Amino acid sequence: MTTPVTPVLREMRWWDIDPVLELEKDLFPEDAWSRGMFWSELAHSRGPGATRRFVVAEEGGRIVGYAGLASAGELADVQTIAVARDHWGTGLGATLLTELLRAATAFECAEVMLECRIDNIRAQKLYERFGFEAIGFRRGYYQPGNVDALVMRLTDPATSVRGTEING
């Protein structure tokens, strides 16, 4: 019997963009990010003035998840979280979200916002477990499918990260 390999999180780099795009297109075929969008985000993720944190989860040389956060002042925004279908239900989404909340804390953000497809109940349940609350909608946010987004907010990400480490 083989021991299962646990995905390892690491900083996303430019050479990860192609495999991330493959996963992106599989998971979000209607509203996938473009190569340029990932390049733009990564351009702001390194150095002393960094305002982004993008990570990948790698298992056996394969990227099985990724996530990104942008910060501006005291506000952070979860840009994306994705987990390969064969890793759904393994806790990888929670691991990625925990990493983003750690980054928000390091950026000294008091609040974290995100948009989630209204039809993505799995993601909504994950965010609620971490203390995110629904605060509104963005009509037709996801294009070209014209799907609404649920806007969610978490106040004090540092407390949420500590709580998941104790309870999770």
Side-chain angles (χ1 to χ4, degrees):
M1 181 176 196
T2 9
T3 309
V5 179
T6 304
V8 175
L9 294 190
R10 63 172 176 76
E11 178 183 11
M12 184 187 292
R13 300 299 302 272
W14 66 266
W15 51 82
D16 296 317
I17 291 176
D18 283 343
V20 163
L21 280 173
E22 286 179 31
L23 194 51
E24 178 82 2
K25 287 173 185 167
D26 175 53
L27 296 170
F28 312 111
E30 287 187 357
D31 46 21
W33 279 31
S34 68
R35 180 181 315 281
M37 292 170 76
F38 280 107
W39 270 105
S40 178
E41 293 301 316
L42 292 183
H44 298 283
S45 68
R46 296 182 61 86
T51 58
R52 307 289 193 273
R53 174 78 171 138
F54 274 71
V55 296
V56 293
E58 194 172 36
E59 180 182 81
R62 175 180 160 233
I63 292 177
V64 295
Y66 56 91
L69 177 106
S71 70
E74 292 191 350
L75 182 63
D77 188 68
V78 172
Q79 300 285 293
T80 186
I81 294 183
V83 173
R85 294 177 195 278
D86 62 338
H87 282 69
W88 286 3
T90 65
L92 181 55
T95 300
L96 288 164
L97 183 55
T98 298
E99 179 60 27
L100 295 186
L101 296 179
R102 283 189 183 116
T105 301
F107 285 132
E108 298 180 353
C109 296
E111 288 186 336
V112 179
M113 304 286 292
L114 61 82
E115 292 87 16
C116 179
R117 283 178 65 108
I118 198 70
D119 57 359
N120 191 344
I121 305 303
R122 174 189 300 273
Q124 290 171 35
K125 289 180 187 284
L126 170 67
Y127 301 137
E128 288 169 358
R129 244 182 31 233
F130 277 75
F132 281 86
E133 296 176 332
I135 61 166
F137 296 92
R138 294 187 196 271
R139 303 281 176 216
Y141 182 79
Y142 292 99
Q143 293 297 328
N146 203 35
V147 177
D148 295 346
L150 178 65
V151 179
M152 302 182 84
R153 176 179 60 204
L154 172 68
T155 53
D156 195 6
T159 302
S160 181
V161 170
R162 284 194 301 272
T164 57
E165 287 172 350
I166 293 167
N167 302 322

